[in-house]
Amino acid sequence: MIPSTAIFDQSQMTHLLSIDPLVQAYRALFSLLDWSLVEQWQSQRSHRGRPAHPMSTYLKAFLVRICEGLPTTSALRSFLLKHPLLVIELGFGLVLDPQAPYGFDEQESIPCDYWLRQQLRSFDRCLLQDLLFATVRSLQEEIPGLGEVVAFDVKHIYAWVKENNPRAYVAERYDKTRVLAGDPDCKLGVKRSSNQEQADGSTKEKKEYVWGYGSGVAAATTAAYGDVVLAEYTQPFNEGDVMYFHPLYQQAAVALQAFPTHVTADAAFDAWYVYEAAARHGGIGAIPKNGHGHPEMQRDTDGVPRCAKGLRMTPRFAFQHTNGYRAQRFGCPLLFPTPTSEACERLSSNHGQGCHKDPNWEAGGLMRVLLDRSSPLYKAVYTQRTSCERINSQAKDLGIERPRLRNRRSIANLNTLIYVVINVRALQRAQSINRGLLQRCSLPLSDSPTSYACLPSVPMHNFVK
């Protein structure tokens, strides 16, 4: 509703909205989101009780908070009070007052800080995910081949608690069993671990602990269009990085409506099932190998292990390992398939059956140990891992690292909206680039060396063999 006032009539108010630069900027941003998802969600809810502000209004308000870099919900409300035309554009139910400059009472029309915080906390997670997936589908229409390579990473988030303030005295600051009064949902985790050399030449591991959360992200990149968020997932910070993979991979597949061909991540994601996800679809997992402190098993090029004497071991039987993968038992070549007269000090071990090995025999397990990490394909895929770092940098600029919130659900909802903003900006950039390409394609080609034709994007695998 556009109010009438003692100063402006409705036609003048409409004109003010059409020329206000802030309103026009957010109108353009909001136009790139699929609000029909919100309307469909709203139609399924009960309409009993007092008329409420539309859910789209609250979502738009928190998108404004992110874009404006407002640290708190109180700062968001103060910002809206200073921009009454934006309040009209967001769609708040206005409390009309013809004597007010803009025809409504701003203080009464905008909900209080408590209610705004409550709305952030109670946002439907499925609705927010659907909004994020809708931006991915819009980006797919603008960027051919998006999502052929998907990168994974985790960004740390500081909880808003005194335990993260080194200047505040806190007894048992790093007791992981504690439930903090400031944020009961946050957990203690390791942000960074490094080895420091001591005076005697030895090394000592130093860890930097943080109370908070981790925001996992799946991202894709293209040279011309930049970086895109495909999926996100927020957990307490005590979870290992690799625990984010399955939720992120599943969400990325839903967003893309297809499985990625290649995956890439840092060494924290070096687990057989990460490689398995790529192997099932003809791709590779470009991940540095992480021994996790275990000695390396000597193998042949086909994955068959060798014993301590360097002999090729004999396959015996396959079985389901307790860690969830299919393993292959290999036995001593001096005993299986038939005993030989050759001596070995290990023949009497393992109840007289000699030494044995049980390597992971899944496609992902074999890829993990046999992958050529010096190949051009591996290097080309691994290079795209930096897309997550750039996404994390953008998210940090939008306030993801130190949210002034005190519960997991609010932080998770704000994180999703931050990634929606990143994708909407990527969509604006992609549409601008494509409009420029269409304008260039409409120009006639000449015979001069500087003339060109517009070429479609070609998937990476056509260049890297």
Side-chain angles (χ1 to χ4, degrees), residues 133-411:
F133 295 162
T135 63
V136 175
R137 289 190 289 271
S138 297
L139 284 160
Q140 282 182 296
E141 296 176 1
E142 302 290 337
I143 307 174
L146 179 68
E148 181 182 355
V149 178
V150 176
F152 298 86
D153 198 10
V154 178
K155 174 78 176 73
H156 66 276
I157 298 173
Y158 290 89
W160 194 21
V161 293
K162 63 181 180 180
E163 283 76 8
N164 281 335
N165 182 2
R167 297 183 179 180
Y169 172 74
V170 179
E172 301 179 348
R173 183 188 300 270
Y174 300 128
D175 180 5
K176 65 180 181 180
T177 62
R178 294 178 58 201
V179 176
L180 304 189
D183 184 349
D185 298 332
C186 73
K187 297 295 182 181
L188 183 68
V190 178
K191 173 188 171 185
R192 185 183 296 111
S193 178
S194 60
N195 291 324
Q196 291 187 343
E197 187 174 352
Q198 305 299 305
D200 59 358
S202 62
T203 58
K204 180 180 180 181
E205 187 178 26
K206 181 180 180 181
K207 295 183 178 180
E208 181 179 353
Y209 293 95
V210 168
W211 286 94
Y213 303 87
S215 175
V217 62
T221 186
T222 56
Y225 296 96
D227 308 300
V228 173
V229 178
L230 303 178
E232 61 84 28
Y233 186 58
T234 300
Q235 293 189 100
F237 201 43
N238 61 332
E239 298 289 349
D241 287 7
V242 74
M243 301 302 295
Y244 290 80
F245 175 74
H246 280 310
L248 290 175
Y249 184 80
Q250 293 168 3
Q251 291 181 34
V254 171
L256 294 168
Q257 298 181 337
F259 289 102
T261 304
H262 308 288
V263 300
T264 183
D266 59 27
F269 286 82
D270 181 37
W272 72 270
Y273 49 82
V274 179
Y275 298 89
E276 182 77 15
R280 288 177 180 176
H281 304 285
I284 67 167
I287 303 167
K289 195 172 181 182
N290 185 352
H292 302 285
H294 301 294
E296 188 68 22
M297 184 187 301
Q298 185 182 0
R299 299 197 190 210
D300 286 344
T301 56
D302 59 355
V304 175
R306 288 183 173 271
C307 68
K309 293 186 66 173
L311 301 177
R312 181 181 172 91
M313 301 186 74
T314 303
R316 296 186 58 195
F317 56 86
F319 65 97
Q320 193 68 22
H321 198 278
T322 55
N323 288 339
Y325 56 80
R326 184 172 58 91
Q328 175 69 47
R329 169 65 60 89
F330 286 88
C332 176
L334 303 181
L335 296 177
F336 301 98
T338 57
T340 67
S341 58
E342 188 174 345
C344 177
E345 64 275 7
R346 297 176 179 267
L347 289 178
S348 60
S349 63
N350 193 27
H351 304 286
Q353 296 189 7
C355 59
H356 67 267
K357 297 184 184 298
D358 300 327
N360 185 327
W361 215 243
E362 299 282 1
L366 291 172
M367 178 184 289
R368 177 179 176 270
V369 296
L370 300 179
L371 181 64
D372 182 5
R373 289 176 170 81
S374 62
S375 67
L377 177 59
Y378 176 89
K379 292 180 179 179
V381 174
Y382 185 67
T383 299
Q384 299 196 36
R385 183 186 62 84
T386 57
S387 63
C388 284
E389 297 177 359
R390 291 188 292 271
I391 289 294
N392 289 338
S393 179
Q394 294 181 55
K396 182 179 178 180
D397 290 340
L398 293 173
I400 197 173
E401 189 169 272
R402 296 181 181 272
R404 296 192 180 183
L405 299 166
R406 296 187 182 275
N407 63 86
R408 175 182 176 179
R409 189 173 180 85
S410 295
I411 291 173

Side-chain angles (χ1 to χ4, degrees), residues 41-54:
W41 180 91
Q42 191 93 46
S43 66
Q44 298 171 353
R45 296 300 180 271
S46 172
H47 298 284
R48 293 179 298 177
R50 296 174 57 187
H53 300 289

Side-chain angles (χ1 to χ4, degrees), residues 35-100:
W35 295 106
S36 65
L37 297 170
V38 184
E39 294 172 2
Q40 182 180 1
W41 180 91
Q42 191 93 46
S43 66
Q44 298 171 353
R45 296 300 180 271
S46 172
H47 298 284
R48 293 179 298 177
R50 296 174 57 187
H53 300 289
M55 180 55 61
S56 59
T57 297
Y58 289 113
L59 290 169
K60 291 176 180 178
F62 280 99
L63 290 174
V64 169
R65 170 183 167 173
I66 294 167
C67 293
E68 296 296 328
L70 304 173
T72 63
T73 304
S74 299
L76 168 63
R77 190 172 190 277
S78 299
F79 178 83
L80 294 177
L81 289 172
K82 296 176 183 177
H83 297 85
L85 291 176
L86 184 59
V87 175
I88 299 174
E89 181 65 24
L90 294 181
F92 282 105
L94 305 178
V95 178
L96 300 183
D97 181 2
Q99 302 306 314

Side-chain angles (χ1 to χ4, degrees), residues 142 144 224-225 430-443 452-457:
E142 302 290 337
Y225 296 96
Q431 290 179 345
S432 176
I433 292 171
N434 288 344
R435 282 194 298 268
L437 291 175
L438 291 174
Q439 292 172 0
R440 294 175 187 176
C441 288
S442 65
L443 298 175
Y452 57 90
C454 294
L455 299 176
S457 298

